[in-house]
Amino acid sequence: MLDFSRIMFSSQTSSFQDSIDVEERDDFESEEITGYSPKIQLNCYYTIYLYQGTSLTLIDSSLPSEAEPDLQTYISRRLSKGALLGSMGNIATVELSIPEQAVGCYCCLLEQETSPELPDADGDGYVICLMGGSEKGLNLFRLELDKYIQGLRSSLRTPELKNLETEVRPYLVQWYEESVMHIYRVVMLMQNNISFLLHAALSQTHVEIINSDERTKTDVCRFIKAASLQGLSQQDTTATSLCKPMSEETQSELIIDCSTSPPTLTNSVSNRFCDDWIQAFLNSAERCNPFLLRQILENFKLKAIQDMNSLKRFVRQAEMSHYALFRCYQFLQSCGNAHVLLNNSRAEHSDLPEACSVIIVLEEFLREQAQA
């Protein structure tokens, strides 16, 4: 069964327009990307400090020289309050002497591993700060930022950081491109075909990318993972079980051939639910706004979850009422996502014979309608 306690949202609505609109859209209005937008530019910065005892030593920073002391004061204050825990990223708004003045800041303390040679190094390490956009925007990419910073750990072996110019700095310079921009790149790649990728994510269809570079393959895989509901299931916990087709129809893998522009798709499947989100993604991509794109993707998942909740409730009611069965049928007709919802519902109710009987009847209704 879906673990809906892990999904936090304030209210549910059956209105598609309510779910596709992004709340507090103005928060993302000015967050455009350097090099992508000719109108508004978003500057991205990084800073890395050596933390020993209670002191911070600047190692490298892309901030203007007049702004770095402001950041160091802020980080020192956070450390003195114990607000930076080892390997756990913290996101807040900081005010610096930069054009944006207030900017979102992700901070993480990477502690050095203790050893017999360095018995007093417990708690020491490196403080890494990534700045750009707003606090709300960066929070949408918290998991990506955590993972990206952990990828730097192997390069932070000695306090001298002799590999600063060859490894550490080039890695930090790319933080925004690698941690935030992947959804934007996928939408720009797929364009109107983005609905096929959304459907593959919801239906757990395997996707194969051919004739592309590794970055594109990684971007597409990350997009699918971000769009899917995998991990919310208590019964099916592995990718294999979630990708296993649950209907009588054979479910072929989606093949994306990047040798053409736009890419050529084979075995592409979509539905009205996924098609309805195309324009929202394209509009945000045209504005070069990765934060708004991520929020739209989260709203897409939220709407799918809300519909699953509704179907789950209708199925339980339909076990005792023919009228509820009819309402369930009407809901499936109108939602535009009947096949995906029924597949998920079958998995959830696999140990409940009465519910399975309702689902079989609903599938027969829909099949007869399609044939007619």
Side-chain angles (χ1 to χ4, degrees):
M1 295 174 61
L2 288 176
D3 183 8
F4 296 106
S5 64
R6 293 170 56 187
I7 304 149
M8 300 181 63
F9 50 90
S10 59
S11 64
Q12 294 187 351
T13 175
S14 60
S15 167
F16 168 75
Q17 192 58 48
D18 287 348
S19 64
I20 206 169
D21 286 341
V22 178
E23 293 182 0
E24 301 180 33
R25 183 184 296 265
D26 290 344
D27 287 1
F28 301 109
E29 287 294 326
S30 63
E31 299 185 24
E32 313 295 337
I33 316 309
T34 301
Y36 292 91
S37 171
K39 298 179 181 179
I40 304 173
Q41 291 187 336
L42 187 150
N43 295 315
C44 306
Y45 310 95
Y46 72 86
T47 300
I48 179 170
Y49 297 100
L50 176 64
Y51 178 56
Q52 291 179 309
T54 58
S55 64
L56 283 174
T57 304
L58 176 64
I59 296 177
D60 195 31
S61 179
S62 63
L63 280 171
S65 58
E66 64 271 18
E68 188 279 320
D70 298 336
L71 178 64
Q72 187 166 162
T73 299
Y74 167 78
I75 297 301
S76 297
R77 187 166 61 248
R78 301 288 290 178
L79 288 168
S80 66
K81 295 179 179 180
L84 288 183
L85 303 177
S87 301
M88 293 181 63
N90 179 277
I91 298 176
T93 300
V94 296
E95 295 187 2
L96 304 173
S97 301
I98 55 177
E100 299 89 345
Q101 295 185 334
V103 66
C105 178
Y106 169 93
C107 299
C108 185
L109 170 61
L110 288 183
E111 293 179 327
Q112 289 180 334
E113 296 181 2
T114 57
S115 64
E117 292 79 13
L118 298 171
D120 299 325
D122 187 26
D124 292 355
Y126 299 90
V127 176
I128 300 160
C129 304
L130 308 176
M131 292 147 284
S134 67
E135 177 181 348
K136 181 176 181 180
L138 291 184
N139 264 308
L140 293 170
F141 293 91
R142 178 184 291 273
L143 294 178
E144 287 87 348
L145 293 170
D146 283 340
K147 185 176 181 179
Y148 193 73
I149 289 302
Q150 292 302 318
L152 187 62
R153 184 180 290 276
S154 61
S155 299
L156 304 176
R157 295 298 187 187
T158 61
E160 297 81 12
L161 283 190
K162 295 179 180 179
N163 60 347
L164 174 62
E165 295 187 2
T166 58
E167 295 182 40
V168 177
R169 182 180 297 158
Y171 190 87
L172 289 174
V173 165
Q174 290 293 314
W175 77 266
Y176 197 86
E177 194 73 18
E178 296 300 325
S179 300
V180 175
M181 290 299 294
H182 55 285
I183 294 176
Y184 170 83
R185 289 193 295 269
V186 171
V187 175
M188 293 301 292
L189 173 72
M190 300 297 292
Q191 292 293 316
N192 285 303
N193 290 333
I194 194 67
S195 61
F196 299 119
L197 215 53
L198 293 171
H199 186 273
L202 284 185
S203 61
Q204 301 297 337
T205 300
H206 178 71
V207 177
E208 182 180 358
I209 305 100
I210 60 176
N211 297 319
S212 74
D213 54 36
E214 287 302 316
R215 186 187 206 182
T216 299
K217 291 181 180 180
T218 301
D219 284 348
V220 172
C221 289
R222 292 171 72 186
F223 181 93
I224 292 173
K225 183 177 181 181
S228 76
L229 304 183
Q230 185 173 327
L232 301 178
S233 174
Q234 294 176 338
Q235 289 182 337
D236 301 320
T237 57
T238 66
T240 302
S241 62
L242 283 167
C243 291
K244 184 178 179 180
M246 292 174 283
S247 63
E248 295 178 1
E249 298 87 354
T250 58
Q251 190 172 359
S252 302
E253 66 180 8
L254 172 62
I255 301 175
I256 303 174
D257 185 352
C258 295
S259 63
T260 61
S261 182
T264 302
L265 276 60
T266 305
N267 301 326
S268 55
V269 178
S270 186
N271 58 24
R272 179 160 45 86
F273 177 82
C274 295
D275 290 344
D276 283 341
W277 291 83
I278 294 175
Q279 203 56 50
F281 279 99
L282 294 183
N283 289 344
S284 295
E286 288 176 1
R287 297 168 56 197
C288 309
N289 195 322
F291 301 109
L292 188 56
L293 275 171
R294 183 54 177 265
Q295 186 64 69
I296 289 172
L297 188 60
E298 293 301 317
N299 286 4
F300 167 80
K301 292 171 59 176
L302 177 58
K303 179 57 178 170
I305 291 168
Q306 290 174 351
D307 286 351
M308 287 181 188
N309 267 334
S310 296
L311 179 60
K312 184 177 180 179
R313 184 174 66 254
F314 286 142
V315 167
R316 288 178 175 174
Q317 295 172 353
E319 294 176 17
M320 299 173 288
S321 166
H322 288 292
Y323 176 68
L325 179 64
F326 177 68
R327 288 181 59 202
C328 193
Y329 171 66
Q330 285 185 313
F331 168 75
L332 288 172
Q333 278 188 310
S334 64
C335 73
N337 199 24
H339 182 73
V340 172
L341 294 182
L342 284 173
N343 279 349
N344 281 278
S345 184
R346 185 188 292 104
E348 284 192 71
H349 299 96
S350 59
D351 56 344
L352 300 173
E354 296 84 356
C356 287
S357 297
V358 170
I359 293 170
I360 291 173
V361 171
L362 291 170
E363 288 180 322
E364 291 176 352
F365 280 162
L366 293 172
R367 191 178 298 114
E368 289 174 1
Q369 180 199 36
Q371 292 173 351

